[in-house]
Amino acid sequence: MDRRQQKTRKAVFQAFITLLGEKSYNNITVQEIIDRADIGRSTFYAHFETKDDLLKELCEELFGHIIDSAMDCTHTHGLYSDGNAPESVFCHLLQHLQENDSNILGLLSCESSEIFLRYFKDSLNELIRVQLLSREGRSNPALPDDFLINHISGSFVEMVQWWLKGRKKQPPEELDRYFRAVIEPIFAE
């Protein structure tokens, strides 16, 4: 993708994010996105077939970046200038959320949050599969992996919502301790 295309996509994403902060997803029109991004209709449709495709790509980009960076322990993203990266992938993920790149926390708490929370949960599933379920010696191997993945990702999403409603009073390290205290017994030997 050339620079011009990247710039256009960035303008469309930013216009869409801004509109999502103002009204529900269902009330946003493609024309409003086009107007905010200051592009033509054909340009929009050259990048996205529908508003739903735009939503899907926005979520994949936002959550994919956060999940990928949480899985890549060498990726510090400016968070750990002192060199002290957290051991827990969930703490790393919470720190990225706290950074609030692209107003992701606003999207997770806006009027259309259920859409973003669903995409966020789906993105977490792979992280959980790779980081937790690949462990040897689970204390309850009789529980199906898909059940555990759903339970853990759902719990994490609910915790993030609780954190947002409480105005992020707890630092990521504290939330990570809470979360691990709840899920680690599942994996204890």
Side-chain angles (χ1 to χ4, degrees):
M1 184 180 313
D2 68 26
R3 261 192 269 176
R4 188 173 42 94
Q5 291 171 319
Q6 289 174 347
K7 187 176 178 181
T8 299
R9 288 177 67 85
K10 185 177 179 179
V12 171
F13 284 154
Q14 189 55 54
F16 190 42
I17 289 169
T18 301
L19 285 165
L20 284 164
E22 297 171 4
K23 53 176 39 176
S24 75
Y25 172 76
N26 292 330
N27 292 331
I28 296 172
T29 65
V30 169
Q31 187 60 51
E32 290 173 308
I33 298 166
I34 290 167
D35 291 344
R36 285 278 175 107
D38 196 22
I39 61 169
R41 183 169 288 279
S42 61
T43 301
F44 177 87
Y45 287 112
H47 291 271
F48 310 100
E49 287 185 32
T50 65
K51 182 177 77 166
D52 291 342
D53 288 336
L54 169 59
L55 173 67
K56 183 177 185 248
E57 287 193 40
L58 174 68
C59 289
E60 286 173 356
E61 187 170 302
L62 290 173
F63 299 126
H65 171 73
I66 288 174
I67 300 296
D68 289 348
S69 65
M71 289 175 70
D72 178 7
C73 298
T74 63
H75 178 78
T76 59
H77 204 280
L79 286 173
Y80 315 112
S81 56
D82 61 1
N84 293 323
E87 290 181 30
S88 165
V89 69
F90 294 105
C91 187
H92 190 133
L93 182 56
L94 288 163
Q95 288 171 336
H96 273 278
L97 288 173
Q98 186 179 46
E99 271 193 329
N100 202 19
D101 287 343
S102 302
N103 193 28
I104 198 164
L105 294 178
L107 295 175
L108 292 175
S109 61
C110 73
E111 191 176 334
S112 302
S113 65
E114 70 283 346
I115 296 167
F116 293 97
L117 291 168
R118 186 178 67 243
Y119 275 104
F120 183 42
K121 185 175 181 277
D122 290 347
S123 298
L124 283 168
N125 291 343
E126 183 60 22
L127 175 72
I128 292 163
R129 179 178 285 106
V130 169
Q131 294 291 321
L132 296 179
L133 296 188
S134 60
R135 291 182 181 180
E136 295 287 327
R138 276 197 339 232
S139 65
N140 49 5
L143 291 176
D145 285 354
D146 60 337
F147 173 82
L148 288 173
I149 290 167
N150 183 65
H151 178 73
I152 294 166
S153 64
S155 180
F156 190 85
V157 166
E158 288 294 323
M159 179 188 68
V160 168
Q161 285 183 288
W162 173 81
W163 185 48
L164 292 173
K165 287 177 187 167
R167 303 194 190 286
K168 300 181 292 191
K169 291 178 187 166
Q170 300 79 10
E173 298 77 14
E174 187 175 339
L175 280 179
D176 178 56
R177 280 194 308 277
Y178 297 167
F179 187 67
R180 287 187 296 128
V182 171
I183 66 162
E184 283 183 352
I186 295 170
F187 300 100
E189 292 188 50

